[in-house]
Amino acid sequence: MSSLQRRLVGHWFAPAPILNLAVVRLVLVSMELICLLVPFIAWKVGACNGCSVGYQMILTRIDPSDYLPLPALKVLMLPFGPWGIRPEPMFLRAVWLLAVVTGVTSLLGLYTRLSLSALAATTTLLTAHSYSYGEYHHPEALLTIALWTLVLCPSGSALSLDSMQTRLHIATYGKRFVPLRTVSRESEMAGWPLRLIQWCLALAYFSAGISKLINGGLAWFNGYTLARMIGEDAVERGSALGVWFATQIPLLIVLAMLTVAIELTFFLGVLFPILTPLYVFLGTGMHVGIYVLQRAPFPQLVALYVVFIETFRRQFGAFFQRGRPAPRWAAIYDELCPRCRRTMVFLDSMDWRKRLTFIESEGQWPHASAAAPSRIPDRSPQTLFVIGPDGTIYRDFFGFRKLTGLLPPLWPLWPVLHCPGFRRLGPWIYRLLSDDSAGHVCPAELTGRRVVSGDVPV
Amino acid sequence: MRLGKIVATLYCGAVLSLQSYAIFSTTSYNNWYWPFVNYPMYSSSFHAGESFLRVELRAVPCDSPGDVFRLTEDDLHLKWRHFIMLVHKSATVRRADLDTELQPGSEPTTEALLHFIATYVPRHVCRVQVWRQRYTIGPGGLELPGQPWEIAQEWVLTLPGSGGVSVDTTGHKP
């Protein structure tokens, strides 16, 4: 393999954290869902006209002679009729509904690949339909490509119900609980999707920059060009700041040069990670500025900057981690009990702030008892012990109640469980729920427990 | 993993090729192969002394002539570009020659515009007006218009007993 080949393979297929891919999935799918569910952003702001079902209904009333279906729409409509068929209103409503449902399941990571495929197909269809009447806009194109890209990669391998289901399966039938932080979470297939989207962004910016040089020439930098463009949009769409900016010729000359410089050299931010934060900052500023001055929205492009997450994690991750060394808590569980292992899977998946250490009581008992200077009172099977940094022991309900303050998804339960009366009621409910899952209770003989007596610390 | 890499390589190659083709094949708009498009928006240049028109479509209700209200593309259930095209076509005719007579080819535009108004505006409208205001890019940038809004075009509508709408007057000079 030549040096160039090695560098190319390293650029595209270097092992990368699958967590990054999952975060990209969450951000991009959220962006798409916002467009689908908030008509104000989709239609009035203009971020994604085609995402609004009301706008789609208007399109269906346009004269058929104005219908010029894009190839993307023709391909997606092929299973439903002849080449070039125009979608019916009811069909578009169903597609929009499917987009919302699959958007939610994609966000949750439930049947992730299937959900993402359906989300990508439906949003492509809706947007392509909105552009099949002679009017085109640009905000959605790259996000659409990015969604299709996520279909082909393991974006559901983390932060998803799919991954939790896999871990639960292992915990139940594999008879072991493996905390997330102890397993390798990198894959050679996790980096290329982000690289691809980064290069698509760089190409899009380069297109914008080179078009200005070719179509506008040097006159594009005379200040009057931006004065006219910003002024016209600002007057039409009601931006007072834009109207003021359109009168600042020297400032507009600088702004024009900065804009084209960012657009033409954005690819440097992809090639040289040290420059990435600068270009992300400048690009975000450019889009925010365009919106504030001209009311032209490109939120999807800003959302797409999440594909630079790895660079930010490497450059700034240590800085944030150094800031708050959080005290660790310990959760002691019964390794031989499948239900306990499953519970640990849930707790582990909710431990976003990495505050918990998991200790299994059977094999790591010395470790477990050492975690609590005041000594754990017994070693009952199927008992949850939560031990604070100061060695205080909380058992069963009281352990769970402590966890509601530690694990962000459980935070809403914290005030409820601290209501007056829950000190008595809570243990009863906890026992009731445990007994409810009596079918999952793991008697020692079924799980192969060594019955220990006499050495239980009191 | 090897097969996965091959598929990923082919996919990346295809996407980047299509994106590059859309971008480098032309510098004018190239949207046909959406989502593979180029980005030449805002790439024209302008100079000091040029001007642009702000145009609005307004309606005068029959029951309260003083209560003039603005009509937007949403009110007429139109796409923005379609709406702007319909309204500007009327205004542009007036701007070009300040003639009260409509130029050939603009009548269907007017009919279409009035059809959408009759269909989607719930209030009875007796007059429809296209208003305009000229802005100039002066030596110091955008100059606020010295002249107020002016009517570029007006149509007087009559409501026959059947409930339909007919255009009684076209090209009314304000």
Side-chain angles (χ1 to χ4, degrees):
Chain A
M1 193 184 280
S2 71
S3 166
L4 178 65
Q5 271 181 316
R6 265 198 304 274
R7 291 180 74 168
L8 273 174
V9 170
H11 183 76
W12 289 92
F13 294 109
I18 56 171
L19 191 64
N20 290 350
L21 211 48
V23 171
V24 170
R25 184 194 90 236
L26 292 179
V27 171
L28 299 188
V29 170
S30 298
M31 183 75 239
E32 197 64 63
L33 270 176
I34 288 170
C35 289
L36 285 164
L37 294 173
V38 187
F40 177 79
I41 290 177
W43 190 2
K44 304 302 176 190
V45 173
C48 174
N49 286 339
C51 296
S52 157
V53 74
Y55 187 77
Q56 291 287 343
M57 292 305 103
I58 286 178
L59 296 176
T60 59
R61 289 193 284 265
I62 289 177
D63 193 274
S65 62
D66 291 331
Y67 178 58
L68 303 163
L70 294 177
L73 180 64
K74 288 181 181 174
V75 170
L76 288 170
M77 288 299 294
L78 202 52
F80 308 100
W83 184 249
I85 186 177
R86 187 178 181 186
E88 296 289 329
M90 190 57 79
F91 176 82
L92 288 168
R93 281 183 191 276
V95 168
W96 179 85
L97 189 63
L98 184 60
V100 171
V101 171
T102 53
V104 172
T105 51
S106 299
L107 194 66
L108 296 174
L110 181 62
Y111 303 110
T112 312
R113 197 159 289 200
L114 185 65
S115 297
L116 277 171
S117 306
L119 176 67
T122 48
T123 52
T124 304
L125 191 149
L126 290 172
T127 314
H129 179 242
S130 74
Y131 293 152
S132 290
Y133 297 87
E135 181 181 333
Y136 307 98
H137 298 286
H138 293 79
E140 309 94 337
L142 285 184
L143 181 58
T144 304
I145 294 172
L147 282 178
W148 282 106
T149 303
L150 288 179
V151 173
L152 296 175
C153 61
S155 64
S157 297
L159 302 180
S160 67
L161 292 178
D162 284 348
S163 65
M164 184 183 280
Q165 204 170 15
T166 306
R167 296 183 65 214
L168 284 173
H169 187 86
I170 292 170
T172 306
Y173 301 105
K175 295 185 177 175
R176 64 198 165 91
F177 159 65
V178 185
L180 275 173
R181 73 172 66 90
T182 62
V183 294
S184 169
R185 307 288 285 167
E186 290 199 339
S187 164
E188 289 181 337
M189 299 303 287
W192 71 264
L194 309 191
R195 283 284 183 217
L196 178 63
I197 302 167
Q198 289 169 8
W199 279 111
C200 284
L201 273 168
L203 274 171
Y205 284 125
F206 189 80
S207 167
I210 202 75
S211 298
K212 290 178 178 76
L213 288 184
I214 294 173
N215 296 341
L218 287 178
W220 205 88
F221 303 93
N222 62 15
Y224 298 105
T225 297
L226 276 188
R228 158 76 190 262
M229 290 169 176
I230 293 175
E232 191 166 5
D233 283 349
V235 164
E236 181 67 33
R237 298 167 185 171
S239 165
L241 190 62
V243 171
W244 179 82
F245 248 80
T247 61
Q248 309 299 315
I249 294 297
L251 189 60
L252 292 173
I253 293 172
V254 175
L255 216 57
M257 289 194 286
L258 186 63
T259 301
V260 174
I262 294 169
E263 290 173 342
L264 288 179
T265 62
F266 193 87
F267 69 93
L268 295 176
V270 178
L271 285 177
F272 304 108
I274 191 77
L275 295 175
T276 305
L278 175 69
Y279 275 97
V280 168
F281 174 75
L282 290 173
T284 305
M286 183 171 73
H287 289 301
V288 170
I290 289 172
Y291 182 73
V292 170
L293 299 180
Q294 298 178 265
R295 297 278 188 268
F298 289 90
Q300 291 93 333
L301 294 189
V302 177
L304 281 168
Y305 287 161
V306 71
V307 297
F308 294 105
I309 183 174
E310 179 60 12
T311 312
F312 276 86
R313 198 183 61 80
R314 285 190 181 171
Q315 292 190 16
F316 303 111
F319 174 77
F320 286 113
Q321 280 170 4
R322 206 183 317 136
R324 42 184 170 83
R328 299 297 291 267
W329 290 63
I332 299 174
Y333 67 100
D334 182 356
E335 173 74 0
L336 297 178
C337 162
R339 178 167 53 81
C340 304
R341 293 196 299 263
R342 284 196 297 271
T343 304
M344 291 306 116
V345 170
F346 283 117
L347 296 180
D348 190 24
S349 63
M350 290 187 279
D351 185 22
W352 299 345
R353 301 186 304 160
K354 308 293 178 207
R355 299 289 302 275
L356 273 179
T357 302
F358 297 93
I359 302 169
E360 52 116 339
S361 59
E362 190 74 14
Q364 298 175 299
W365 185 249
H367 189 185
S369 50
S374 57
R375 302 187 74 191
I376 300 172
D378 60 40
R379 195 174 163 186
S380 314
Q382 302 168 50
T383 302
L384 169 70
F385 291 111
V386 175
I387 304 173
D390 60 351
T392 313
I393 301 165
Y394 304 90
R395 182 179 170 157
D396 288 339
F397 166 74
F398 297 100
F400 179 76
R401 191 166 74 164
K402 274 292 160 191
L403 291 177
T404 59
L406 285 176
L407 309 178
L410 296 180
W411 283 349
L413 285 177
W414 190 91
V416 178
L417 298 187
H418 284 81
C419 284
F422 250 92
R423 205 174 165 76
R424 285 174 177 277
L425 195 62
W428 179 77
I429 295 174
Y430 187 90
R431 267 197 308 276
L432 190 72
L433 290 174
S434 301
D435 289 346
D436 269 352
S437 56
H440 300 292
V441 166
C442 28
E445 59 271 26
L446 288 182
T447 54
R449 179 189 307 283
R450 286 182 292 107
V451 179
V452 180
S453 61
D455 59 346
V456 179
V458 179
Chain B
M1 188 65 82
R2 188 175 170 78
L3 179 65
K5 280 185 181 176
I6 291 171
V7 172
T9 305
L10 291 174
Y11 178 79
C12 291
V15 168
L16 291 175
S17 301
L18 287 165
Q19 187 70 60
S20 300
Y21 172 77
I23 289 169
F24 297 113
S25 61
T26 177
T27 55
S28 59
Y29 283 92
N30 191 4
N31 297 310
W32 186 242
Y33 295 104
W34 185 92
F36 302 102
V37 295
N38 63 348
Y39 297 80
M41 54 278 204
Y42 298 109
S43 64
S44 308
S45 57
F46 300 95
H47 299 86
E50 294 187 25
S51 64
F52 62 90
L53 282 173
R54 183 184 177 190
V55 176
E56 279 187 11
L57 183 66
R58 300 179 190 177
V60 182
C62 299
D63 52 355
S64 174
D67 189 16
V68 179
F69 59 96
R70 186 182 173 187
L71 293 171
T72 66
E73 65 270 25
D74 296 344
D75 298 318
L76 304 192
H77 292 215
L78 285 170
K79 290 194 79 173
W80 175 80
R81 188 172 180 271
H82 195 189
F83 173 79
I84 289 293
M85 188 195 73
L86 289 176
V87 176
H88 273 249
K89 197 165 180 184
S90 309
T92 305
V93 171
R94 298 279 300 170
R95 182 184 63 184
D97 51 13
L98 294 176
D99 195 347
T100 54
E101 290 180 8
L102 289 172
Q103 289 187 347
S106 52
E107 274 184 25
T109 308
T110 307
E111 284 174 15
L113 187 63
L114 298 178
H115 163 75
F116 287 116
I117 291 169
T119 307
Y120 295 114
V121 177
R123 295 180 71 175
H124 288 310
V125 172
C126 279
R127 277 185 291 166
V128 177
Q129 302 162 336
V130 177
W131 287 75
R132 70 182 180 191
Q133 193 174 31
R134 184 181 296 277
Y135 287 78
T136 304
I137 304 298
L142 180 70
E143 292 177 352
L144 294 178
Q147 293 179 333
W149 284 92
E150 60 177 4
I151 295 181
Q153 184 67 274
E154 182 177 52
W155 299 277
V156 178
L157 311 181
T158 55
L159 286 168
S162 61
V165 174
S166 65
V167 182
D168 193 33
T169 308
T170 58
H172 170 78
K173 187 172 183 176

